[in-house]
Amino acid sequence: MTTEEEEKADQAAITVGDSLGKSALKLTLILVVATLGCVWWGNRASGTDGVKAAAIAGLLCWLGAILALMITSRFAGGTNASSGILVGSALRTGIPLIGIASLHFNARDLRDANIAYFGVGLFLISLATETYVAINILKQASKTTEAN
């Protein structure tokens, strides 16, 4: 690999990495605001159990979305981009929904505090947000790849 090719590859990695950091920050901020709204609602409806339910649901949704974003950005612009999107989708969907379902069926206090409702609402917000920022990362990666 020549020096010019190495510089182009480094520039592509820097561009996608910078985009990942900004996208992760956007995702985190939106989910924090949404989770705080659910925590407020959970406190009004169920007291401390509602706060726990909303906070756990928010954490699971954030974890699934941030891992999916990292995987998607890692494989963006390469020959395995579709594999990255598929694995990211599995993480984004599986972590929150399986985690919330298992807590709903195994933790009575969280079930009574409606963790499933908080989980579905926050999951939809995280799904929309992560999809939006992942599309931006994929567009940026394809532009960088075309430029090289």
Side-chain angles (χ1 to χ4, degrees), residues 7 20 37-38 42 51 55 96 134-135 145 148:
E7 288 175 8
L20 173 62
C38 288
V51 171
I135 287 171
T145 304
N148 292 335

Side-chain angles (χ1 to χ4, degrees), residues 14-144:
I14 290 169
T15 304
V16 173
D18 184 44
S19 177
L20 173 62
K22 289 178 182 177
S23 297
L25 183 61
K26 288 177 193 175
L27 176 69
T28 300
L29 290 175
I30 290 171
L31 281 177
V32 164
V33 170
T35 301
L36 287 175
C38 288
V39 164
W40 174 80
W41 185 263
N43 186 40
R44 288 182 48 113
S46 303
T48 57
D49 287 341
V51 171
K52 286 192 307 190
I56 290 170
L59 181 66
L60 287 171
C61 290
W62 175 81
L63 182 63
I66 205 78
L67 288 175
L69 187 65
M70 291 169 65
I71 295 293
T72 301
S73 70
R74 170 66 179 94
F75 291 101
T79 57
N80 293 326
S82 58
S83 298
I85 292 171
L86 184 62
V87 171
S89 295
L91 290 171
R92 178 183 54 208
T93 305
I95 290 173
L97 295 184
I98 292 171
I100 290 165
S102 67
L103 289 171
H104 176 78
F105 291 116
N106 294 318
R108 183 178 178 92
D109 58 337
L110 296 177
R111 179 179 57 235
D112 293 342
N114 297 318
I115 191 171
Y117 294 122
F118 292 126
V120 169
L122 290 169
F123 172 73
L124 292 175
I125 292 169
S126 70
L127 175 66
T129 306
E130 195 272 335
T131 300
Y132 173 74
V133 296
I135 287 171
N136 289 337
I137 287 175
L138 292 172
K139 282 182 185 178
Q140 190 170 9
S142 71
K143 286 179 187 176
T144 305

